[in-house]
Amino acid sequence: RKEVEQDPGPFNVPEGATVAFNCTYSNSASQSFFWYRQDCRKEPKLLMSVYSSGNEDGRFTAQLNRASQYISLLIRDSKLSDSATYLCVVISDSWGKLQFGAGTQVVVTP
Amino acid sequence: DVKVTQSSRYLVKRTGEKVFLECVQDMDHENMFWYRQDPGLGLRLIYFSYDVKMKEKGDIPEGYSVSREKKERFSLILESASTNQTSMYLCASRLTGIAYNEQFFGPGTRLTVL
């Protein structure tokens, strides 16, 4: 079983709509969580950290559910520029090594 | 501006060749990482280095070695390239600290082994 699992999508979203997707992780001792964004043929870049109480950054909201071992990302008022692959990242060890999910593709259409 | 550079964007090598992938960061980061990214598998950690001269195996180190002689440079070596090492290779760096800081990635090297 993979340590971090994501629905690969694609999630096809009309411009202006809301989209949400989850990521599950297998290690209950995981301590840090992030969402990275990767545009086509580009390198991943940090989108946001995920805090226990949940957090927002503009149109993006991240949630953590430790009991069910998943994190979520919600994008409101989707823009064409939000089209990308969103990578779920979990840190579970003292070295701080990142474990990546395979990514969820989001396609925002006009 | 933060910068991680990789020596090549595209590379084509033959089976059995020794391959060097170079990564340089200008942010004075202690930690550096090498990943490979394959469709459906995501990024997988090959090796990482927490400081100069230090190296640790990641999840898939077989067939690879690394070198970190200077803080800004982290090299990935394929001793004898094989076709199953055809992949996108991404280097990253990170500032060490109490909190887990953001990793900054280079643009990647797409390696094809024929």
Side-chain angles (χ1 to χ4, degrees):
Chain A
R1 183 187 171 188
K2 290 181 184 175
E3 292 204 34
V4 181
E5 299 212 50
Q6 296 184 248
D7 182 338
F11 285 66
N12 293 296
V13 186
E15 199 174 2
T18 296
V19 61
F21 42 90
N22 294 338
C23 157
T24 59
Y25 59 94
S26 60
N27 188 340
S28 59
S30 299
Q31 66 261 55
S32 297
F33 308 89
F34 307 88
W35 286 103
Y36 275 67
R37 171 196 169 125
Q38 186 171 25
D39 293 321
C40 189
R41 294 194 180 90
K42 296 281 194 176
E43 70 274 19
K45 292 185 179 178
L46 178 65
L47 177 67
M48 61 195 298
S49 303
V50 185
Y51 302 122
S52 297
S53 54
N55 48 298
E56 271 188 28
D57 184 359
R59 297 181 292 107
F60 297 83
T61 300
Q63 297 277 359
L64 167 64
N65 185 316
R66 283 194 184 273
S68 300
Q69 293 182 209
Y70 73 87
I71 66 173
S72 64
L73 183 67
L74 181 145
I75 308 173
R76 281 186 300 277
D77 186 23
S78 298
K79 311 290 184 193
L80 296 176
S81 57
D82 294 333
S83 296
T85 297
Y86 291 85
L87 305 175
C88 172
V89 179
V90 175
I91 293 180
S92 305
D93 70 354
S94 58
W95 286 107
K97 290 187 300 181
L98 276 62
Q99 296 284 347
F100 285 82
T104 295
Q105 187 183 8
V106 172
V107 179
V108 181
T109 54
Chain B
D1 199 17
V2 162
K3 195 85 171 179
V4 180
T5 56
Q6 295 183 228
S7 49
S8 306
R9 292 300 303 271
Y10 299 93
L11 208 52
V12 179
K13 295 291 181 181
R14 296 209 174 272
T15 301
E17 279 193 78
K18 191 168 186 175
V19 182
F20 293 87
L21 302 183
E22 302 285 340
C23 174
V24 177
Q25 51 95 3
D26 65 359
M27 297 163 283
D28 203 33
H29 286 173
E30 291 86 2
N31 304 165
M32 295 188 76
F33 306 82
W34 274 107
Y35 298 89
R36 62 178 283 177
Q37 185 174 27
D38 300 288
L41 296 178
L43 278 82
R44 293 179 291 166
L45 183 63
I46 304 170
Y47 266 96
F48 60 103
S49 168
Y50 273 85
D51 212 331
V52 182
K53 307 275 189 186
M54 293 174 61
K55 58 185 178 184
E56 294 287 337
K57 291 180 181 178
D59 300 318
I60 50 163
E62 296 78 20
Y64 303 94
S65 61
V66 290
S67 173
R68 183 119 182 251
E69 295 298 315
K70 293 186 177 181
K71 191 174 186 179
E72 67 270 19
R73 188 179 297 269
F74 192 33
S75 303
L76 180 70
I77 303 147
L78 287 67
E79 296 290 341
S80 178
S82 62
T83 55
N84 63 12
Q85 292 179 310
T86 292
S87 187
M88 170 67 83
Y89 289 86
L90 288 157
C91 173
S93 73
R94 180 179 72 185
L95 191 66
T96 196
I98 298 171
Y100 296 120
N101 295 302
E102 177 180 357
Q103 277 198 5
F104 293 90
F105 286 85
T109 296
R110 184 163 293 282
L111 173 67
T112 301
V113 182
L114 301 175

